[in-house]
Amino acid sequence: MALFTEQKGILSPKVEYDAEMNRYHPGLEDEIKEVLADLRHNEMMFNLETEPDLVEQRIYERQALQCRYRYLIGEARRLGLHTILTEHA
């Protein structure tokens, strides 16, 4: 039994964790990746578009995606998630 209590002591909450990992939000990173993929897709479709109305639609769609991206990066900054910022900004 003494061995079990020693192991329990090793796993005690006294172990310090990286502060950024405690704040990590995988959903936020997934959203940023999704918006970046949508921006790449939008750019590809914009380059292929020939109809003036559809070109205009792609422009507005890109502006909306850029607004979403700025919002998500701002959230990452607010939360202090430097790893996400260096990977996706």
Side-chain angles (χ1 to χ4, degrees):
M1 259 336 218
L3 182 60
F4 180 71
T5 55
E6 287 176 15
Q7 288 179 345
K8 187 176 179 184
I10 291 173
L11 300 175
S12 70
K14 294 179 184 176
V15 176
E16 293 183 22
Y17 294 100
D18 181 22
E20 187 165 349
M21 287 307 293
N22 287 337
R23 294 185 309 259
Y24 180 62
H25 295 276
L28 181 61
E29 185 173 15
D30 290 341
E31 282 188 69
I32 291 172
K33 287 177 183 178
E34 184 178 335
V35 168
L36 289 173
D38 289 345
L39 280 166
R40 284 190 295 274
H41 181 261
N42 174 272
E43 183 178 356
M44 180 186 69
M45 294 306 293
F46 176 82
N47 291 332
L48 296 173
E49 212 58 77
T50 57
E51 294 293 321
D53 288 337
L54 296 178
V55 169
E56 185 177 1
Q57 181 264 330
R58 295 291 175 193
I59 291 169
Y60 285 116
E61 182 181 15
R62 180 170 179 80
Q63 289 175 339
L65 289 168
Q66 287 175 331
C67 289
R68 178 78 178 152
Y69 176 75
R70 282 192 305 271
Y71 167 77
L72 293 171
I73 292 297
E75 283 297 297
R77 278 194 189 102
R78 185 181 66 78
L79 294 169
L81 300 174
H82 303 290
T83 303
I84 289 177
L85 293 171
T86 56
E87 289 179 7
H88 303 291

